[in-house]
Amino acid sequence: MPKTVRSPRFSARAAGFLLIGLILAGLLACSRGSATNPQQPATDASGAAGGRGARSGRGGAAGSVPVVTAHVVSKPVPVTIPAVGTAEPLATVQIRAQVTGQLSAIHFTEGQDVRKGAPLFTLDARPFEAALQQAQAVLARDTAQAKNAQAQRTRAEDLFNRGLIPRDQYETMTANASALESTLAADQAQIENARLNLQYTHILAPISGRTGALNVHQGDLVRANDTTPLVVINQVAPIYVTFSVPGRYLPDIRRHQSQQPLRIAASIQAGGTPGSQQAAPVSPGSSPAAGTDGAPASAPVDPPSTARTEAGAVSFIDNSVDPTTGTIKMKGTFANADHALWPGLFVQVTLVLRTDPSAVVVPSAAVQASQAGQFVFVVKPDRTVEVRNITVDRQQGDEVVVARGLTPGEEVVTDGQLRLTAGARVTTGTRGEGAGGRGDAGSDSGGRRGNGGGGRGANRGNQS
C-alpha cells in the first residue's frame, strides 16, 4: 500500500494560521475589557473622596482635645493628723445600795437625764428608823447611869480625902464613872451610824448624766454592795473622744501643744432613714411597676448623708507609746451640749497641729503618676499643654498641697489627661457638657461625612 507523505510547507502554514487566531482572540478580549471599564475611575474618585471625608472628620476632633481645668490657688490649709476615735463618757458611776432593804420607790425612768443630787431610789426606811430610836434609847439609859456614876465619884472623893473610905473603893468608883463616859461616846457613834443608814435609804445621783437600763424594780429586796448595780449613769456632757496616732508624730504634737492648745475635730457620719430602700434599676426591655393611678411606682430614695463635725481640744496624752502597735493614746474633750457624741460611737478624728497660711493647692484629680514621679498638665496661654513634674507635700481631702513645681494662678488639667501629650492643643469646658460634648459631636459629624462620601462613590460605581 502506498504511504502518504505530508508536505512540510503545509504544516508550517497551519501553524501560522493557529498563531494568527490566538493573536486575534487576545485582541478581541482586550477590546471587550476596555469597553467594560470606562466607569472605574469614577468609582476610585468617589472612594478617594469618601476617604478624605472620613479623614477630615477625624482630623476635626483631634485638632483640639476637650478637657476640664482648674486654677492653682494659694490659701490657708491646716496641717492635720487623721485618726479613728471612740467616744467615752467623762465619768461612769455604778449605783449600788449601801444598806439592805426593800425598794419602795423609783424616781426616774431608764434612759432619763438626771442632775447631780436628784433622787433615784428610796428604800423602806422603817427598820432603820427603829434602829435609830433604839440607839437613842440606849444613849439615854447610859447617860443616866453616867450621871449617877459621876455623883458617886464626887462623894467618894470627898470621903477619901477625909480618910473615911479606902483607896481601892475610891478608885473603883472613879473607873466606873470613866467607863460610863466612854459608853456614852459609843452610844453616840451608834446613833450616828443609825442616822447614816437611814440616810442611805434615799439614793441620790452622784453626778449629772444619763441613766442606763434598770436592773431592779419596785418591791425588790436590794442588798448592800451587790455585784449587780441598780443602774449605771454616764456623764456625756462634756465627753471624751479617745484615739491613737502613730508614735512618730509625738515630737511634733508636743512641740505644737507647748505653743497653744491643740484643736481636734470629730466627724459623725449621718445615715439615711432606717427602713428606706433605693429604687431598683429597671432591666432593658422591661417596664417599671405601675402604681394605683397608672403612674410608674418607685421606692423612696434616701437623701445624701452629710457628716456633722464637733470641735474640741486635746486634754490628755498618754505617758508611753504602745510597743505592740507603735501608737500613742490621746483624748479630746468635747462640750457635747446637744449629745451628738454618744459613748461607744466611732468617729473620724482630725488632729490639727497648725495652719499653713499660704499653701499652694490643686485638686487631687489633676495630679498624675509616672515612673519619673508625679506630674500635672499645665495649660499655657496659647492653649497648649505642658507636662510638669511636681513635688507633693500632702493631701488634704480632695485637694493636694504642692511643695514645688507650681505657682498660684496657673491652669492645670483635672479631667481628660488620657488624650493629652506634651504640646497638644486643648479646649476647656465643664464636666459632662461643653467642650467635651462638642468634641464628641465634631468627631461624629466628621465620620458621617466621610462615610457618606464613600457610600455615594460606591453607589455611582455600582450604577455604572
Side-chain angles (χ1 to χ4, degrees):
M1 181 175 180
K3 296 182 180 179
T4 303
V5 181
R6 294 182 180 181
S7 174
R9 183 179 302 176
F10 176 79
S11 300
R13 185 179 302 175
F17 286 148
L18 179 60
L19 179 60
I20 292 172
L22 292 175
I23 294 174
L24 291 176
L27 293 176
L28 181 60
C30 292
S31 63
R32 288 179 179 178
S34 61
T36 57
N37 291 336
Q39 299 297 330
Q40 186 64 33
T43 304
D44 296 340
S46 300
R52 286 194 299 272
R55 287 194 297 271
S56 63
R58 291 193 298 269
S64 58
V65 180
V67 295
V68 180
T69 62
H71 286 85
V72 181
V73 297
S74 176
K75 64 178 183 179
V77 177
V79 179
T80 61
I81 300 176
V84 176
T86 306
E88 295 181 357
L90 194 70
T92 299
V93 178
Q94 297 180 350
I95 306 299
R96 291 183 171 86
Q98 294 179 276
V99 293
T100 301
Q102 186 180 21
L103 183 62
S104 60
I106 300 176
H107 303 284
F108 68 98
T109 58
E110 53 185 359
Q112 176 185 344
D113 291 328
V114 295
R115 304 291 298 177
K116 182 179 180 179
L120 299 178
F121 303 96
T122 299
L123 305 180
D124 187 5
R126 291 175 296 178
F128 303 97
E129 291 175 351
L132 176 60
Q133 293 174 0
Q134 182 180 3
Q136 290 174 344
V138 172
L139 177 62
R141 183 196 62 188
D142 293 343
T143 300
Q145 292 178 356
K147 288 182 179 180
N148 183 34
Q150 183 65 27
Q152 291 180 0
R153 186 181 64 176
T154 302
R155 289 192 297 269
E157 183 179 5
D158 181 59
L159 294 176
F160 176 74
N161 291 333
R162 289 189 293 173
L164 298 178
I165 58 174
R167 177 180 292 275
D168 59 345
Q169 185 178 359
Y170 166 70
E171 290 178 352
T172 299
M173 291 183 179
T174 302
N176 188 25
S178 299
L180 289 176
E181 290 179 357
S182 299
T183 302
L184 291 180
D187 293 342
Q188 188 65 39
Q190 289 294 331
I191 291 176
E192 294 297 330
N193 186 44
R195 286 176 178 171
L196 187 60
N197 290 336
L198 180 60
Q199 185 179 356
Y200 285 155
T201 59
H202 301 279
I203 302 177
L204 308 180
I207 61 172
S208 297
R210 191 175 184 89
T211 59
L214 277 171
N215 297 321
V216 293
H217 300 86
Q218 187 174 351
D220 289 347
L221 180 63
V222 178
R223 301 186 182 277
N225 300 320
D226 199 358
T227 56
T228 302
L230 306 180
V231 72
V232 178
I233 300 178
N234 286 331
Q235 185 175 357
V236 296
I239 195 172
Y240 283 139
V241 171
T242 303
F243 60 98
S244 298
V245 298
R248 64 179 182 272
Y249 296 131
L250 182 59
D252 294 335
I253 292 173
R254 295 185 59 189
R255 183 176 70 255
H256 290 96
Q257 190 185 32
S258 63
Q259 300 172 359
Q260 60 181 357
L262 296 180
R263 296 181 292 111
I264 183 175
S267 299
I268 308 167
Q269 188 69 30
T273 304
S276 61
Q277 298 178 355
Q278 296 287 340
V282 179
S283 60
S286 62
S287 60
T292 56
D293 56 351
S298 60
V301 179
D302 287 342
S305 59
T306 57
R308 179 175 179 177
T309 303
E310 297 289 327
V314 174
S315 56
F316 169 76
I317 301 177
D318 205 355
N319 57 1
S320 63
V321 176
D322 188 352
T324 59
T325 60
T327 59
I328 186 168
K329 183 179 179 181
M330 301 178 65
K331 287 184 180 181
T333 304
F334 295 78
N336 201 32
D338 55 355
H339 294 180
L341 297 173
W342 209 250
L345 182 67
F346 286 96
V347 295
Q348 186 67 36
V349 177
T350 303
L351 176 62
V352 182
L353 297 180
R354 60 181 178 86
T355 300
D356 190 352
S358 57
V360 179
V361 178
V362 295
S364 58
V367 181
Q368 304 294 308
S370 67
Q371 295 181 352
Q374 294 175 309
F375 68 94
V376 295
F377 286 100
V378 180
V379 181
K380 297 189 292 186
D382 59 355
R383 311 313 296 170
T384 59
V385 295
E386 171 193 355
V387 179
R388 186 179 303 176
N389 294 327
I390 62 172
T391 302
V392 175
D393 184 14
R394 64 187 183 276
Q395 182 169 355
Q396 191 75 23
D398 294 335
E399 297 178 329
V400 171
V401 179
V402 179
R404 290 187 300 274
L406 292 175
T407 58
E410 289 186 310
E411 188 176 3
V412 295
V413 177
T414 60
D415 192 8
Q417 295 96 327
L418 294 178
R419 303 175 60 185
L420 293 179
T421 57
R425 186 173 299 275
V426 297
T427 58
T428 60
T430 59
R431 186 183 300 273
E433 57 182 359
R438 290 192 300 270
D440 295 339
S443 176
D444 190 24
S445 63
R448 286 197 299 268
R449 288 193 299 269
N451 293 334
R456 286 193 298 270
N459 291 335
R460 286 196 299 269
N462 293 332
Q463 291 172 0
S464 299

